[in-house]
Amino acid sequence: MPQWLEDAVFYEIYPQSFYDSNRDGIGDLPGIRQKLDYIRGLGCNALWINPCFDSPFKDGGYDIRDYKKVAPRYGTNGDLTALFEDAHKKGIRVLLDLVPGHTSEEHAWFQESRKASPNEFSNRYIWTDSWIYWGGENIRFIAGEAERNGVYIINFFKCQPALNYGFLNPKEGWQLPPDHPDCIATREALKDIIRFWLAGGCDGFRVDMADSLVKNDDHQKSGTSAVWRNIREMLDNEYPEAALVSEWSSPPLSLKAGFHSDFLLDHPGSGYQSLVRDYHLDAEGRPLQDNSFFKKSGNGDIGRFLNQYMPWYEETKERGLISLISGNHDTPRLSRSLSPEEAALFYGFLFTMPGVPFLYYGDEIGMRYLDLPGREGGYTRTGSRTPMQWNNGKNKGFSAAASGRLYLPVDPEAGAPSVEAQEKDPSSLLNTVKALLRLRRAEPDLQGRPNLEILHAWGRLFVYRRGPFIIALNPGEAPASVRIEALNGNSASGVYSLGGAKLENGLCEMGGQSFGIWRS
Ligand code: NOJ
């Protein structure tokens, strides 16, 4: 396990929308470099940048045409190297986005693979042996697109043919076993990409659809896990400081497969979703029946989160870390449901839980979700990908281009949150995030280490312990109190609070919408 992950706090950047340094209306790598001090000042010491590689951008860059080339819209490979160097000088690590399960249909491998004449790349993707094939087994096939006599499997959109890591139990002649030399060649090609960027100075990868490699895998994902364990072995030998964070949302499987950390995502019915995104939308796209735990008016219950989280945490705590997120480029913005006051309590929780937290750019100021037509395969995700709001000037400080040229429109509201305005306001969401991160970064007991102990989890009141720290939160409207037996009537000194939070002589009294940290 790379030691640095233990106190890492990540900031996720959607490069299209962070900062445009060359006035072409789209964010770029030199733009990120210019904002490194902001990121450091926020208290984040690591970055995850969404794919910034050459791509036709039919899925925001998750359709890669050349893994080893930075997309010209973001700059050059030299700009990325310069970003790694500057970031490292400031104590910031950088994860790139690794897309192992599919490429763009425009990737040179696919162009070769689709040819009728057999070649080195014929089995780099998964093809049937006849142009007539209607599918089955929950696998999606595309027919009628290639000169070779077969149809191919996709991993996500039509433009994203699945790379061939084999089938766990092949049932047809065209299904290769994972140890077939051509499937091993796919894995080795992936390693080559990993080595290329690690040698170039990156610190690891966020791994897209990490569970999607071997097809018809079993419930334990044994085929896919074997591929990752092999890659992890290579990393342990050659790049032991490199981190792998999976988009998998199943820590017991992913951490056993060799990932250092795994994201909990907002899958329907998941524990993570119950915290901040447990709502339906009305016809206008506004959240209805919001029962999220952090919603003041909801009657959400922390048990829905803990029932999933705690068994996973207990099972995996010696092996790796769990990553909780404020949101990401696929989820609705946090502020779609939570007010700034509600979001502040959520950040109190996010930044005092074990594991590796991820903050999505703009969530620190409560940027709004905008109802926009989709862009580059974003569909309803587009509203969470709008330009960062640096100030209230032209294009909210994102770009000096004419506003009609922007990658996506900025929030048109005059009073839309901005970094500049919130920096001046001591009680802003931005300053709350900074204060919480200062505390986390200063206290090893509030970082990644597995020292979580639940003291009280009933209805709206949640109290937990991390080493000497007692943390309590009550997102509901009504006050709530509980005696903390673990304190034996002893006092604890206040470290941080929001709203009316008190812990005296072992009695924890929480006003409506409050949060507190004490040292015992
Ligand atoms: C998950 C990524 O986060 C998402 O943005 C992308 O569309 C799919 N994987 C496909 O790569």
Side-chain angles (χ1 to χ4, degrees):
M1 164 79 71
Q3 208 49 45
W4 63 267
L5 262 188
E6 286 240 340
D7 84 326
V9 179
F10 275 87
Y11 192 71
E12 178 194 345
I13 292 184
Y14 196 66
Q16 291 89 321
S17 297
F18 195 56
Y19 187 60
D20 171 19
S21 74
N22 63 352
R23 302 164 171 239
D24 63 356
I26 187 159
D28 46 54
L29 297 174
I32 298 176
R33 271 174 82 195
Q34 288 178 35
K35 296 294 184 184
L36 288 174
D37 284 335
Y38 167 76
I39 293 160
R40 192 67 220 199
L42 200 53
C44 293
N45 58 357
L47 284 180
W48 155 30
I49 305 174
N50 291 108
C52 54
F53 313 108
D54 182 42
S55 164
F57 290 101
K58 290 185 180 172
D59 182 19
Y62 282 93
D63 47 329
I64 296 175
R65 186 164 48 203
D66 184 344
Y67 285 94
K68 295 184 178 175
K69 182 178 172 211
V70 164
R73 52 152 74 163
Y74 302 130
T76 62
N77 284 23
D79 288 323
L80 189 49
T81 312
L83 172 60
F84 297 148
E85 283 167 6
D86 280 9
H88 292 161
K89 276 185 212 139
K90 293 176 195 291
I92 299 174
R93 308 270 182 164
V94 185
L95 294 192
L96 294 177
D97 210 314
L98 182 70
V99 185
H102 50 270
T103 67
S104 157
E105 61 197 347
E106 294 184 23
H107 194 290
W109 296 341
F110 190 70
Q111 294 307 312
E112 286 302 305
S113 195
R114 70 207 296 276
K115 289 185 179 159
S117 51
N119 60 59
E120 184 190 344
F121 299 101
S122 296
N123 282 332
R124 181 57 51 91
Y125 299 83
I126 305 168
W127 296 87
T128 63
D129 50 13
S130 166
W131 62 277
I132 303 184
Y133 191 85
W134 304 120
E137 308 203 53
N138 285 329
I139 293 180
R140 291 174 302 151
F141 295 86
I142 301 294
E145 284 276 320
E147 65 183 30
R148 83 185 254 180
N149 183 21
V151 305
Y152 64 90
I153 293 183
I154 54 168
N155 226 24
F156 197 64
F157 289 159
K158 181 253 157 193
C159 63
Q160 291 158 318
L163 284 162
N164 194 359
Y165 295 88
F167 279 70
L168 188 64
N169 293 305
K171 291 190 193 115
E172 314 257 3
W174 52 266
Q175 301 182 351
L176 306 181
D179 60 358
H180 186 280
D182 291 344
C183 301
I184 300 290
T186 306
R187 186 192 74 199
E188 293 305 306
L190 179 63
K191 278 191 198 157
D192 176 55
I193 296 162
I194 293 175
R195 288 188 177 108
F196 178 83
W197 286 114
L198 288 173
C202 87
D203 298 286
F205 301 89
R206 172 270 186 186
V207 179
D208 187 71
M209 294 174 67
D211 62 336
S212 73
L213 306 190
V214 171
K215 302 305 178 200
N216 286 3
D217 215 345
D218 54 17
H219 287 312
Q220 293 302 307
K221 295 272 175 186
S222 52
T224 296
S225 299
V227 176
W228 288 118
R229 272 196 293 271
N230 176 280
I231 290 174
R232 170 69 185 266
E233 213 178 290
M234 176 277 275
L235 288 179
D236 285 350
N237 288 330
E238 298 174 32
Y239 293 97
E241 283 294 288
L244 278 186
V245 182
S246 51
E247 184 196 33
W248 189 321
S249 221
S250 183
L253 299 184
S254 55
L255 301 186
K256 232 182 263 164
F259 286 93
H260 300 107
S261 187
D262 187 22
F263 289 115
L264 299 195
L265 299 171
D266 63 334
H267 297 154
S270 64
Y272 170 73
Q273 188 199 40
S274 78
L275 294 173
V276 287
R277 286 186 182 81
D278 187 13
Y279 51 75
H280 302 284
L281 297 178
D282 69 10
E284 267 86 59
R286 283 181 307 244
L288 260 187
Q289 297 173 319
D290 195 333
N291 207 22
S292 306
F293 177 67
F294 281 95
K295 192 79 201 148
K296 170 166 113 179
S297 57
N299 58 1
D301 170 354
I302 191 67
R304 293 177 302 158
F305 169 72
L306 294 177
N307 288 344
Q308 186 176 61
Y309 180 86
M310 287 311 289
W312 281 354
Y313 167 78
E314 291 296 344
E315 188 179 337
T316 61
K317 64 184 182 186
E318 303 305 332
R319 188 175 283 135
L321 301 154
I322 292 178
S323 281
L324 292 167
I325 62 174
S326 70
N328 68 26
H329 61 290
D330 295 330
T331 69
R333 285 265 183 205
L334 190 65
S335 66
R336 192 168 203 190
S337 159
L338 302 192
S339 68
E341 293 72 28
E342 290 162 340
L345 299 192
F346 172 64
Y347 286 139
F349 163 82
L350 181 69
F351 298 133
T352 57
M353 284 290 280
V356 192
F358 279 68
L359 177 66
Y360 183 50
Y361 85 95
D363 279 352
E364 71 274 30
I365 54 171
M367 265 174 64
R368 286 198 305 158
Y369 172 89
L370 300 186
D371 207 357
L372 293 173
R375 178 90 213 263
E376 296 186 342
Y379 298 93
T380 55
R381 304 175 294 183
T382 304
S384 298
R385 300 175 174 184
T386 58
M388 179 69 179
Q389 294 154 205
W390 295 104
N391 56 47
N392 272 319
K394 182 179 170 183
N395 297 329
K396 301 275 190 277
F398 161 68
S399 166
S403 56
R405 287 191 66 202
L406 298 191
Y407 174 75
L408 283 172
V410 292
D411 188 333
E413 237 185 42
S418 77
V419 170
E420 191 178 272
Q422 292 203 11
E423 269 172 348
K424 292 182 195 138
D425 172 5
S427 65
S428 66
L429 193 56
L430 178 66
N431 278 318
T432 303
V433 166
K434 283 188 185 179
L436 286 163
L437 288 182
R438 256 197 311 276
L439 196 59
R440 181 180 178 105
R441 300 291 318 287
E443 298 292 348
D445 275 308
L446 292 176
Q447 298 168 0
R449 61 173 60 165
N451 58 357
L452 176 68
E453 204 187 316
I454 307 297
L455 299 182
H456 178 86
W458 186 251
R460 309 294 275 153
L461 185 54
F462 180 34
V463 189
Y464 50 106
R465 177 179 208 146
R466 305 230 22 229
F469 296 101
I470 309 273
I471 300 142
L473 56 98
N474 171 23
E477 256 174 315
S481 62
V482 66
R483 180 157 291 283
I484 307 293
E485 303 298 343
L487 280 176
N488 278 330
N490 288 329
S491 294
S493 55
V495 174
Y496 183 83
S497 72
L498 289 168
K502 245 170 61 182
L503 177 53
E504 274 171 21
N505 307 322
L507 183 65
C508 178
E509 291 181 285
M510 303 291 289
Q513 284 212 291
S514 62
F515 171 83
I517 308 179
W518 298 267
R519 190 192 298 266
S520 62

mmCIF file of all heavy atoms in Angstrom, residues 59 62 102 156 206 208-209 247 329-330 381 385, ligand 1:
data_model
loop_
_atom_site.group_PDB
_atom_site.id
_atom_site.type_symbol
_atom_site.label_atom_id
_atom_site.label_comp_id
_atom_site.label_asym_id
_atom_site.label_seq_id
_atom_site.Cartn_x
_atom_site.Cartn_y
_atom_site.Cartn_z
ATOM 1 N N ASP A 59 -17.874 10.022 -25.596
ATOM 2 C CA ASP A 59 -18.238 9.771 -24.189
ATOM 3 C C ASP A 59 -17.279 10.547 -23.292
ATOM 4 O O ASP A 59 -16.590 9.971 -22.444
ATOM 5 C CB ASP A 59 -18.204 8.261 -23.882
ATOM 6 C CG ASP A 59 -18.618 7.961 -22.436
ATOM 7 O OD1 ASP A 59 -19.253 8.829 -21.803
ATOM 8 O OD2 ASP A 59 -18.291 6.863 -21.937
ATOM 9 N N TYR A 62 -13.916 9.045 -22.436
ATOM 10 C CA TYR A 62 -13.829 7.634 -22.021
ATOM 11 C C TYR A 62 -13.820 6.707 -23.236
ATOM 12 O O TYR A 62 -13.930 5.493 -23.106
ATOM 13 C CB TYR A 62 -14.966 7.279 -21.059
ATOM 14 C CG TYR A 62 -14.686 7.796 -19.664
ATOM 15 C CD1 TYR A 62 -15.152 9.036 -19.247
ATOM 16 C CD2 TYR A 62 -13.901 7.060 -18.783
ATOM 17 C CE1 TYR A 62 -14.852 9.524 -17.986
ATOM 18 C CE2 TYR A 62 -13.600 7.533 -17.524
ATOM 19 C CZ TYR A 62 -14.083 8.762 -17.122
ATOM 20 O OH TYR A 62 -13.775 9.236 -15.872
ATOM 21 N N HIS A 102 -12.379 -0.909 -22.572
ATOM 22 C CA HIS A 102 -12.791 -0.608 -23.949
ATOM 23 C C HIS A 102 -11.942 0.527 -24.495
ATOM 24 O O HIS A 102 -11.328 1.282 -23.740
ATOM 25 C CB HIS A 102 -14.266 -0.233 -23.992
ATOM 26 C CG HIS A 102 -14.661 0.808 -22.986
ATOM 27 N ND1 HIS A 102 -15.092 0.489 -21.714
ATOM 28 C CD2 HIS A 102 -14.677 2.165 -23.039
ATOM 29 C CE1 HIS A 102 -15.360 1.589 -21.041
ATOM 30 N NE2 HIS A 102 -15.105 2.636 -21.815
ATOM 31 N N PHE A 156 -19.848 -0.201 -23.248
ATOM 32 C CA PHE A 156 -20.711 0.884 -22.745
ATOM 33 C C PHE A 156 -21.504 1.438 -23.929
ATOM 34 O O PHE A 156 -22.510 0.866 -24.309
ATOM 35 C CB PHE A 156 -19.841 1.939 -22.052
ATOM 36 C CG PHE A 156 -20.603 2.869 -21.163
ATOM 37 C CD1 PHE A 156 -21.256 2.406 -20.031
ATOM 38 C CD2 PHE A 156 -20.684 4.230 -21.451
ATOM 39 C CE1 PHE A 156 -21.980 3.269 -19.209
ATOM 40 C CE2 PHE A 156 -21.393 5.106 -20.627
ATOM 41 C CZ PHE A 156 -22.042 4.623 -19.514
ATOM 42 N N ARG A 206 -7.097 6.100 -11.403
ATOM 43 C CA ARG A 206 -8.487 5.755 -11.098
ATOM 44 C C ARG A 206 -8.876 4.841 -12.258
ATOM 45 O O ARG A 206 -8.616 5.150 -13.417
ATOM 46 C CB ARG A 206 -9.335 7.024 -11.071
ATOM 47 C CG ARG A 206 -10.853 6.785 -10.961
ATOM 48 C CD ARG A 206 -11.510 6.655 -12.319
ATOM 49 N NE ARG A 206 -12.966 6.578 -12.196
ATOM 50 C CZ ARG A 206 -13.774 6.356 -13.215
ATOM 51 N NH1 ARG A 206 -13.315 6.183 -14.419
ATOM 52 N NH2 ARG A 206 -15.080 6.303 -13.032
ATOM 53 N N ASP A 208 -11.465 2.913 -14.553
ATOM 54 C CA ASP A 208 -12.832 2.927 -15.060
ATOM 55 C C ASP A 208 -13.407 1.505 -15.178
ATOM 56 O O ASP A 208 -12.737 0.608 -15.700
ATOM 57 C CB ASP A 208 -12.778 3.565 -16.459
ATOM 58 C CG ASP A 208 -14.146 3.795 -17.048
ATOM 59 O OD1 ASP A 208 -14.852 4.685 -16.550
ATOM 60 O OD2 ASP A 208 -14.507 3.098 -18.017
ATOM 61 N N MET A 209 -14.641 1.312 -14.752
ATOM 62 C CA MET A 209 -15.338 0.017 -14.886
ATOM 63 C C MET A 209 -14.388 -1.154 -14.642
ATOM 64 O O MET A 209 -14.267 -2.068 -15.456
ATOM 65 C CB MET A 209 -15.967 -0.086 -16.286
ATOM 66 C CG MET A 209 -17.076 0.932 -16.496
ATOM 67 S SD MET A 209 -17.734 0.973 -18.196
ATOM 68 C CE MET A 209 -18.539 -0.613 -18.330
ATOM 69 N N GLU A 247 -13.247 1.939 -9.842
ATOM 70 C CA GLU A 247 -14.683 2.159 -9.985
ATOM 71 C C GLU A 247 -15.300 0.765 -10.031
ATOM 72 O O GLU A 247 -15.314 0.113 -11.067
ATOM 73 C CB GLU A 247 -15.000 2.920 -11.281
ATOM 74 C CG GLU A 247 -16.480 3.223 -11.371
ATOM 75 C CD GLU A 247 -16.970 3.620 -12.752
ATOM 76 O OE1 GLU A 247 -16.447 3.141 -13.760
ATOM 77 O OE2 GLU A 247 -17.919 4.408 -12.806
ATOM 78 N N HIS A 329 -18.337 13.093 -11.943
ATOM 79 C CA HIS A 329 -18.819 13.581 -13.233
ATOM 80 C C HIS A 329 -20.012 12.783 -13.756
ATOM 81 O O HIS A 329 -20.553 13.119 -14.799
ATOM 82 C CB HIS A 329 -17.652 13.523 -14.230
ATOM 83 C CG HIS A 329 -17.160 12.122 -14.418
ATOM 84 N ND1 HIS A 329 -16.486 11.440 -13.416
ATOM 85 C CD2 HIS A 329 -17.297 11.253 -15.443
ATOM 86 C CE1 HIS A 329 -16.222 10.213 -13.838
ATOM 87 N NE2 HIS A 329 -16.695 10.077 -15.061
ATOM 88 N N ASP A 330 -20.392 11.717 -13.076
ATOM 89 C CA ASP A 330 -21.548 10.905 -13.483
ATOM 90 C C ASP A 330 -22.768 11.135 -12.590
ATOM 91 O O ASP A 330 -23.872 10.733 -12.948
ATOM 92 C CB ASP A 330 -21.203 9.404 -13.411
ATOM 93 C CG ASP A 330 -20.127 8.977 -14.390
ATOM 94 O OD1 ASP A 330 -20.019 9.596 -15.472
ATOM 95 O OD2 ASP A 330 -19.393 8.014 -14.077
ATOM 96 N N ARG A 381 -25.840 13.713 -17.331
ATOM 97 C CA ARG A 381 -24.644 13.982 -16.508
ATOM 98 C C ARG A 381 -24.047 15.348 -16.823
ATOM 99 O O ARG A 381 -23.250 15.896 -16.055
ATOM 100 C CB ARG A 381 -23.586 12.891 -16.763
ATOM 101 C CG ARG A 381 -24.106 11.484 -16.518
ATOM 102 C CD ARG A 381 -23.097 10.409 -16.876
ATOM 103 N NE ARG A 381 -22.794 10.347 -18.304
ATOM 104 C CZ ARG A 381 -21.993 9.457 -18.871
ATOM 105 N NH1 ARG A 381 -21.429 8.537 -18.122
ATOM 106 N NH2 ARG A 381 -21.753 9.462 -20.168
ATOM 107 N N ARG A 385 -21.261 18.963 -15.133
ATOM 108 C CA ARG A 385 -19.934 19.112 -15.740
ATOM 109 C C ARG A 385 -19.672 20.531 -16.240
ATOM 110 O O ARG A 385 -18.853 20.746 -17.122
ATOM 111 C CB ARG A 385 -19.819 18.118 -16.914
ATOM 112 C CG ARG A 385 -19.990 16.675 -16.494
ATOM 113 C CD ARG A 385 -19.996 15.716 -17.679
ATOM 114 N NE ARG A 385 -20.027 14.327 -17.220
ATOM 115 C CZ ARG A 385 -19.960 13.256 -18.019
ATOM 116 N NH1 ARG A 385 -19.877 13.409 -19.332
ATOM 117 N NH2 ARG A 385 -19.986 12.044 -17.511
HETATM 118 C C1 NOJ B 1 -17.628 5.263 -16.030
HETATM 119 C C2 NOJ B 1 -17.237 6.684 -16.255
HETATM 120 O O1 NOJ B 1 -17.179 7.363 -15.026
HETATM 121 C C3 NOJ B 1 -18.276 7.276 -17.196
HETATM 122 O O2 NOJ B 1 -18.176 8.663 -17.287
HETATM 123 C C4 NOJ B 1 -18.124 6.598 -18.528
HETATM 124 O O3 NOJ B 1 -19.150 7.061 -19.401
HETATM 125 C C5 NOJ B 1 -18.237 5.077 -18.398
HETATM 126 N N1 NOJ B 1 -17.516 4.551 -17.277
HETATM 127 C C6 NOJ B 1 -17.719 4.384 -19.635
HETATM 128 O O4 NOJ B 1 -16.325 4.463 -19.708
#
